[in-house]
Amino acid sequence: MERVVSGIRPTGNLHLGNYFGAVRAFTQMQHEYDCSFFIADWHSLTTHPRPEDIVRNTYTILAEYLACGIDPERATIYIQSDVPEVLELYLYLNMNAYLGELERTTSFKEKARQQPDNVNAGLLTYPSLMAADILIHRGVKVPVGKDQEQNMEMARKFARRFNTIYGVDYFVEPQSYSLGEKALKVPGLDGSGKMGKSEGNCIYLKDDEKTISKKVMKAVTDSGPTEPNSPKPEVIENLFTFMELVSTQETYDYFNERYADCSIRYGDLKKQLAQDINAYCAPIRERIAELSADTDFLSRVAREGAERARERARQTIDEVRHIIGFRARQ
Ligand code: TYM
């Protein structure tokens, strides 16, 4: 069975960007593939959060993964820091990763701008750790949102380079996977392009009805179309993108037609959109509340997931050591 792997940093609660960009695909792929989904707690150290926040957030994401429908009987769910083999592969990949290419990645440049007093080596080598996460499973499909494209390109490059340097055909180049034709970028509703934690414009899966409604009603719009059939500016297109994700085709068409004939009222559209987001999230929200309370169950899922992930990781590391010429681990 083809292998799939993907991860999310525990920076807080899952938002709709995480959900539609990645987690929704996880829940479907687990029925068809050999899936591993992990929580990237090492990656979150690159921004120096407080340790107690990492631990709390890790369990929050675990509960939310399960609430979204990831089934620990079908998929391997684990916490990155429970699988130390990843670090050995990270080291080997780092030996063949060059300063210039790491410095040139957009996410590094962005983070260096955001935290100028903390441009650490972990930030620089973020793409090699991500490549190690994937290649440790010799995973071939990686469900991620559009924002991860460059990291995926780097993972492919590191896989190819390892093969070339050691004269083997060992790592398969991992491919991004998304549910639709193209990788999805879930917009923010504040006109800032992408929904994201650092953009501070997220609707979270756990948000209650009132909070969702408040956030949606605040969405940036314009003064409305004046010419029939005019193209939609980005802030309006964003609202329609959301409708495509959570509303029925009928609802989408209704507002689309109102836009085309200039009779649209953004207040009505937002009200409908808030309702539809709430209807979509309500069952997930209830399950998050139930699962978050069951810490024994969450610990068991994490422990069993780590055991399964380590079994495969050990095999990869043994083979990689053999390829490089090191002795097998004792
Ligand atoms: P992270 O934690 O920022 O986001 C987790 C997943 O959510 C997707 N995502 C979005 N998709 C569409 N629109 C958005 N607005 C949006 N915001 C977030 C991301 O694309 C991602 O799929 N580097 C990764 C974590 C990681 C990883 C890995 C992923 C570490 N190792 C190995 C895959 C494989 C990250 O920071 O994602």
Side-chain angles (χ1 to χ4, degrees), residues 5-9 15 17-18 21-22 38 40 43 126 130 133-134 142-148 151 184-186 194-195:
V5 59
S6 196
I8 292 189
R9 281 170 303 139
H15 53 74
N18 298 137
F38 66 93
H43 272 110
Y126 190 111
M130 181 156 159
D133 290 327
I134 298 168
V142 186
V144 278
K146 198 172 167 59
D147 57 317
Q148 297 296 315
N151 284 333
L184 194 70
K185 183 176 92 175
V186 178
K194 169 189 150 176
M195 179 176 289

Side-chain angles (χ1 to χ4, degrees), residues 255-275:
F255 285 101
N256 206 25
E257 282 156 25
R258 296 291 166 293
Y259 186 86
D261 67 14
C262 304
S263 66
I264 193 157
R265 294 200 332 216
Y266 291 138
D268 293 348
L269 181 150
K270 288 179 180 180
K271 223 154 125 194
Q272 180 70 45
L273 182 59
Q275 240 175 53

Side-chain angles (χ1 to χ4, degrees), residues 159-225:
R160 272 197 305 274
R161 198 174 285 160
F162 180 93
N163 289 347
T164 310
I165 288 179
Y166 296 106
V168 288
D169 194 9
Y170 183 65
F171 287 123
V172 177
E173 287 184 34
Q175 302 301 327
S176 312
Y177 175 91
S178 66
L179 280 183
E181 308 253 287
K182 288 191 276 146
L184 194 70
K185 183 176 92 175
V186 178
L189 290 178
D190 55 354
S192 73
K194 169 189 150 176
M195 179 176 289
K197 191 80 203 298
S198 26
E199 286 75 5
N201 60 3
C202 296
I203 298 176
Y204 294 99
L205 284 175
K206 67 146 188 46
D207 280 348
D208 60 22
E209 188 170 3
K210 234 167 109 188
T211 312
I212 294 172
S213 167
K214 243 194 198 113
K215 290 180 178 175
V216 175
M217 294 316 280
K218 270 202 334 223
V220 176
T221 50
D222 61 4
S223 52

Side-chain angles (χ1 to χ4, degrees), residues 8-29:
I8 292 189
R9 281 170 303 139
T11 47
N13 295 88
L14 288 180
H15 53 74
L16 296 186
N18 298 137
Y19 181 77
F20 287 111
V23 181
R24 188 177 48 152
F26 299 175
T27 61
Q28 305 201 357
M29 294 181 92

Side-chain angles (χ1 to χ4, degrees), residues 68 71 93 116 133 139 173 190 221 224 240 254 260 267 302 315 321 327 330:
C68 289
D71 176 359
L93 297 178
D133 290 327
E173 287 184 34
D190 55 354
T221 50
F240 278 91
Y254 174 85
Q315 194 194 339
R321 280 183 157 250
R327 265 193 299 166
Q330 302 307 303

